Amino acid sequence: MKMTSEALWEDRDVRFDISPQQMKMRPGERVVDKLDAIEDTKGNSGDRGRLVITNLRLIWHSHTMQRVSLSVGYNCIINVTTKTVNSKLRGLTEALYILTKANNTRFEFIFTNLVPSTSRLFTSVIGVYKAYNSSKIYRELKLRGAIIQNKQLRILPQEQIFSRVNGVWNLSSDQGNLGTFVITNVRLVWFANMNDQFNISLPYLQMASVKVRESKFGMALVVESSEASGGYVLGFRIDPVEKLHEVHKEISSLFNVYSQCPIFGVEFTIQDKDIEEDYDLNMMPRAYSLNSFGQANMMEEQQMEIPFADEPEIDDSVVETSDVLTLYLADGRHQDGEPVYAPELGLAVEKLKEGFTLQSLWEVIPS
């Protein structure tokens, strides 16, 4: 069976003057927040517009001319920080600065909230972007990941296991490797019985086709991944043949269900209750949460503290590096300094900013 689903571009592209059709939410895409008094300070200075924050991208459009718009996918974002700018509508103020790269071209965006004394623009955009980055395993093929613990799949927050199939031979090598299938509502997982670090996690989002065909090992289940994930061709043998066809039917069925409403894994809760006079109360509630299926749930408005902690990484196999380097370059205006001699390296390096050391910039785990 050939897998067919509309190509996902929303989180992987930067587009300008998009059509109303491209502004619509694709299956699985959800609006997280909506701000009605935002200026695109760099591209459309002096023009008041609306910023829609979804679980896949940022959409901005002008209030006066709907055709003046843009869509920024989170996967294109290189850096998000704040910057002091001179806005035509607010004067000298703090704005959100976003650096992106799409199709080998870099784009800069500066968004200014025209409602004073609110940090909602920063907390919503940065928070959702962090949630997107910490949930890549929902959307990307992963080889040899830390996904198995004690021969059991480490379940994701929105994941449900449907089947566990023993006696599955991975045909990637001449002798084959005996392992286990775990089939969920989000992905297909295989791991070797002798070494569970030899594994693969293939989300349905990256699955191009799944079929049963003849191989040199006999009838096999052949799964192809999308070009975006490397175009892998994975072969598996399951005995008896009747069981092989059952597994093929189950995977095909789960993919069809998934394609109707994909689970992208981006969870974020709005917790800032700043009052914005120009905010359209009929368009979106000020506070809501995403449930386990990524759908919006209404919440009563209440005063909450704004959290500044990073979103936890779902795949914790790798210890996150220190944020010192991020802070070092966070102003977005870094220029090369004068060269000085570093005795610990025996090299000439750029003169460091005050308060930073070579050790703090290079160490993986902060001391």
Side-chain angles (χ1 to χ4, degrees):
M1 174 181 176
K2 189 73 174 177
M3 302 296 191
T4 55
S5 61
E6 186 181 353
L8 177 67
W9 63 268
E10 284 80 358
D11 66 331
R12 305 174 189 190
D13 202 0
V14 173
R15 297 188 179 184
F16 298 88
D17 298 334
I18 60 177
S19 65
Q21 184 64 30
Q22 292 176 325
M23 282 191 186
K24 289 183 179 179
M25 302 294 100
R26 68 169 291 119
E29 186 177 14
R30 299 285 182 264
V31 173
V32 177
D33 201 0
K34 192 179 293 187
L35 303 173
D36 272 359
I38 303 297
E39 177 192 54
D40 176 17
T41 306
K42 186 174 179 69
N44 298 279
S45 184
D47 195 357
R48 180 186 295 256
R50 171 180 294 155
L51 183 69
V52 180
I53 304 166
T54 84
N55 56 339
L56 296 177
R57 56 177 168 159
L58 302 174
I59 304 170
W60 181 90
H61 68 83
S62 166
H63 282 312
T64 56
M65 293 183 290
Q66 287 277 342
R67 64 178 180 80
V68 178
S69 59
L70 56 91
S71 173
V72 181
Y74 297 137
N75 200 52
C76 301
I77 294 178
I78 299 173
N79 187 33
V80 182
T81 185
T82 59
K83 202 171 192 176
T84 302
V85 299
N86 194 359
S87 163
K88 284 186 177 180
L89 299 178
R90 274 203 65 183
L92 200 63
T93 185
E94 199 76 7
L96 185 72
Y97 171 81
I98 301 177
L99 177 63
T100 68
K101 185 177 181 181
N103 299 319
N104 296 318
T105 304
R106 293 198 175 203
F107 301 97
E108 291 181 334
F109 300 96
I110 298 175
F111 295 111
T112 302
N113 196 338
L114 302 178
V115 178
S117 304
T118 174
S119 61
R120 179 143 146 222
L121 170 64
F122 309 115
T123 55
S124 291
V125 173
I126 295 174
V128 176
Y129 174 61
K130 287 181 178 179
Y132 175 87
N133 273 343
S134 68
S135 57
K136 289 184 178 181
I137 196 168
Y138 283 90
R139 305 178 301 273
E140 297 180 3
L141 182 150
K142 192 172 186 66
L143 297 169
R144 300 180 182 273
I147 60 174
I148 306 296
Q149 188 171 25
N150 298 325
K151 302 299 181 182
Q152 299 296 321
L153 178 66
R154 300 171 66 183
I155 305 298
L156 303 175
Q158 301 176 44
E159 189 172 30
Q160 300 173 16
I161 293 179
F162 280 85
S163 295
R164 182 184 173 101
V165 184
N166 298 316
V168 180
W169 288 90
N170 186 325
L171 308 179
S172 59
S173 60
D174 288 337
Q175 72 274 15
N177 287 282
L178 184 62
T180 302
F181 261 163
V182 182
I183 304 170
T184 81
N185 60 327
V186 174
R187 54 182 170 161
L188 173 65
V189 173
W190 178 89
F191 65 91
N193 292 343
M194 297 298 292
N195 178 14
D196 56 26
Q197 292 302 307
F198 180 35
N199 57 55
I200 182 169
S201 170
L202 177 61
Y204 297 127
L205 188 67
Q206 298 297 344
M207 194 176 286
S209 71
V210 57
K211 49 196 170 186
V212 175
R213 74 182 189 200
E214 189 70 36
S215 74
K216 66 179 181 179
F217 296 96
M219 296 300 291
L221 180 74
V222 179
V223 182
E224 295 182 28
S225 73
S226 64
E227 274 189 41
S229 65
Y232 291 94
V233 179
L234 309 169
F236 303 96
R237 178 172 172 173
I238 304 173
D239 294 321
V241 174
E242 292 77 11
K243 188 176 181 181
L244 172 66
H245 286 286
E246 287 177 8
V247 171
H248 170 250
K249 183 177 179 181
E250 181 177 22
I251 295 173
S252 300
S253 176
L254 285 170
F255 173 84
N256 289 331
V257 172
Y258 178 90
S259 62
Q260 298 300 313
C261 188
I263 299 172
F264 296 113
V266 183
E267 294 183 279
F268 183 74
T269 302
I270 301 298
Q271 293 186 312
D272 183 9
K273 181 186 164 285
D274 290 329
I275 297 176
E276 301 187 7
E277 295 179 359
D278 296 320
Y279 193 71
D280 188 348
L281 294 174
N282 295 320
M283 295 299 294
M284 196 69 191
R286 278 202 177 87
Y288 71 97
S289 64
L290 296 181
N291 67 14
S292 60
F293 296 100
Q295 297 171 327
N297 289 332
M298 304 290 184
M299 300 193 325
E300 292 184 4
E301 291 187 2
Q302 52 187 327
Q303 188 65 38
M304 303 179 189
E305 293 184 1
I306 304 170
F308 287 95
D310 288 352
E311 291 290 325
E313 179 70 36
I314 291 173
D315 178 16
D316 57 2
S317 60
V318 179
V319 180
E320 291 189 359
T321 59
S322 170
D323 285 330
V324 174
L325 187 59
T326 303
L327 294 172
Y328 187 79
L329 301 173
D331 59 11
R333 299 184 293 270
H334 179 71
Q335 295 180 351
D336 293 341
E338 62 177 288
V340 296
Y341 179 70
E344 55 266 66
L345 296 177
L347 299 169
V349 300
E350 174 190 326
K351 186 177 181 181
L352 300 181
K353 295 179 182 179
E354 187 175 349
F356 293 92
T357 65
L358 282 174
Q359 180 181 352
S360 66
L361 293 175
W362 275 97
E363 64 185 4
V364 176
I365 301 175
S367 54

